[in-house]
Amino acid sequence: KAGGINAEYGGLQVKGDYHTASNNLVYDTQGGENKNEKCSLCVWKTVRRNLGIINEHSVVINNLADTANGGVVYNEEGKVVKDADGRRMLWPLQGRWWRIISSAGP
């Protein structure tokens, strides 16, 4: 449940339900940038093109990550949904409770 995880090796990916992710430090920052543009702490809402919702009852608390989200949004045809600028849309971090601590300030 606790540790420092370098996302270069896959990060922390929570798939399923009724899991607990707590007290983790997860990062993939090199020179101030997340080079891979992937989540370091991934608490998925869906897994790829499978639209079944997961992690509705998982608990995510007291974690620190440079990038955390609930995975990429797919439409019913299994295609990635993009915003007006062509960037992949992402689900918010899933789970029943979570605390996000950011160094970006208020």
Side-chain angles (χ1 to χ4, degrees):
K1 288 187 180 180
I5 301 166
N6 185 330
E8 178 180 356
Y9 302 105
L12 178 61
Q13 299 193 27
V14 181
K15 300 176 186 175
D17 208 356
Y18 295 95
H19 297 297
T20 300
S22 62
N23 304 315
N24 294 287
L25 167 64
V26 193
Y27 61 92
D28 187 25
T29 301
Q30 302 166 15
E33 289 185 47
N34 183 326
K35 301 286 186 185
N36 294 325
E37 298 181 5
K38 296 181 179 178
C39 58
S40 302
L41 173 59
C42 312
V43 183
W44 299 79
K45 180 169 183 171
T46 61
V47 178
R48 297 178 197 80
R49 291 169 178 82
N50 179 350
L51 299 179
I53 296 175
I54 59 176
N55 284 315
E56 287 185 286
H57 304 97
S58 294
V59 176
V60 182
I61 190 164
N62 292 328
N63 295 286
L64 180 62
D66 60 352
T67 307
N69 61 57
V72 176
V73 177
Y74 289 91
N75 64 21
E76 291 179 3
E77 290 81 38
K79 295 183 180 180
V80 174
V81 177
K82 296 187 179 183
D83 67 14
D85 295 323
R87 293 179 298 219
R88 299 178 305 164
M89 293 193 67
L90 303 170
W91 291 111
L93 191 64
Q94 298 299 297
R96 294 182 74 190
W97 304 282
W98 63 86
R99 179 188 304 174
I100 298 174
I101 301 172
S102 171
S103 62

